[in-house]
Amino acid sequence: MTNENEPLVLRADRADGLTTLTLNRPGQFNSLSKAMLTALQAELDRIAADESRRVVVIAGAGKAFCAGHDLKEMRGNHEKAFMQALFRQCGELMLTIQRMPQPVIARVQGIATAAGCQLVSMCDLAVAADVAKFAVSGINVGLFCSTPAVGLARNLGRKAALEMLLTGEFIDALEAQRRGLVNRVVPADALEAEVDRLAATILAKSAVAIRAGKGMFYKQLEMDIGQAYDYAAEVMACNMMSEDAAEGIDAFMQKRAPAYVGR
């Protein structure tokens, strides 16, 4: 169980630009209390403003990745205003993950339920241990997982998302991969190494292209196809004017590794 003096979110920065944020309430299965949401939001805001941070990993301490909202806290504050503020705060956190320039990878070692499953769905990429399980289980206690449904519906097909939401049943990691919730599934003892490999592949690319590309990807999803092509063409033209694009193309033609400058 976490010592009360320990931070709710552990941060580890590496020299290569990778930052790992670990949810640190293992005794409560890393549930998203208001304090946990506040701590995670603060770290993500700091990272988003720091160009030296290139990739973010969100992990969980202990057996669970994240069991969703803190039900004990919710029952102890049974007022509509509290619930509205809590779900708005959680929604803002999820949008921060999508809007920040760095790719965010979920490293899922255990169960991810309700808002924990939502957290996985809102990360840009996700790697899961083969023992991990996923559910949006609010329906089992009389609560439809409406806010988790937003991220889930944008990862899975409608029928697959609704099956999870209406039944509350768990799916295993391989099924989550088949449905599009996670990218890769590996044995538990290979999880950290697989996340490192994925992060290293991204870290080797142009920071300029990654920042522009992530923002473009999500923005164009909300447009009709004509607007999306117009917007994507403008982003790509601007990207082509960067020093990194010039260096990358020259390196390709000269058959050498690029030396990106990050501008």
Side-chain angles (χ1 to χ4, degrees):
M1 187 171 294
T2 308
N3 186 299
E4 290 183 0
N5 296 321
E6 290 184 6
L8 292 173
V9 177
L10 304 176
R11 175 170 173 169
D13 292 329
R14 282 193 346 204
D16 62 1
L18 177 68
T19 293
T20 298
L21 300 178
T22 303
L23 308 181
N24 191 37
R25 297 185 78 202
Q28 294 77 35
F29 303 107
N30 299 317
S31 57
L32 298 176
S33 63
K34 283 185 69 67
M36 173 70 90
L37 290 169
T38 298
L40 186 55
Q41 182 74 54
E43 291 293 355
L44 292 172
D45 287 343
R46 281 192 282 270
I47 292 167
D50 185 353
E51 290 190 358
S52 74
R53 299 296 89 204
R54 297 278 315 282
V55 175
V56 181
V57 172
I58 295 181
K63 294 181 179 180
F65 174 73
C66 177
H69 288 295
D70 188 328
L71 296 179
K72 185 176 180 180
E73 179 181 68
M74 292 168 70
R75 287 297 292 145
N77 294 274
H78 195 62
E79 299 174 355
K80 187 175 181 181
F82 178 88
M83 302 303 171
Q84 289 172 324
L86 175 67
F87 295 133
R88 280 197 299 268
Q89 182 181 10
C90 186
E92 184 57 35
L93 173 72
M94 301 299 169
L95 288 172
T96 296
I97 291 171
Q98 183 170 298
R99 291 169 177 168
M100 64 193 297
Q102 299 90 347
V104 181
I105 304 170
R107 189 175 79 201
V108 188
Q109 89 289 9
I111 63 164
T113 57
C117 191
Q118 177 186 6
L119 180 58
V120 175
S121 74
M122 291 300 291
C123 288
D124 304 303
L125 302 170
V127 182
D130 54 5
V131 296
K133 293 185 178 181
F134 304 82
V136 276
S137 47
I139 199 70
N140 295 332
V141 295
L143 181 67
F144 189 85
C145 281
S146 297
T147 47
V150 175
L152 206 65
R154 285 160 171 76
N155 281 246
L156 284 62
R158 290 186 182 185
K159 286 182 171 60
L162 272 169
E163 181 179 342
M164 291 185 69
L165 290 159
L166 293 171
T167 67
E169 293 177 347
F170 277 94
I171 60 173
D172 63 24
L174 287 174
E175 183 62 25
Q177 183 183 34
R178 283 191 288 268
R179 295 187 185 188
L181 184 59
V182 303
N183 298 88
R184 304 181 184 185
V185 176
V186 295
D189 60 3
L191 180 61
E192 187 170 354
E194 186 65 22
V195 172
D196 281 350
R197 275 192 291 272
L198 180 57
T201 301
I202 298 169
L203 290 166
K205 305 301 189 290
S206 160
V208 171
I210 294 292
R211 286 195 299 268
K214 176 177 172 176
M216 182 284 303
F217 179 81
Y218 288 113
K219 189 170 181 179
Q220 62 86 25
L221 286 174
E222 306 303 320
M223 301 175 176
D224 68 42
I225 194 165
Q227 292 173 320
Y229 268 114
D230 287 343
Y231 171 62
E234 178 63 20
V235 172
M236 200 162 187
C238 291
N239 192 176
M240 273 296 295
M241 296 300 101
S242 71
E243 292 182 42
D244 273 8
E247 166 61 15
I249 293 169
D250 287 348
F252 176 77
M253 293 190 297
Q254 295 164 13
K255 298 182 175 10
R256 59 174 175 83
Y260 294 122
V261 296
R263 293 191 295 274

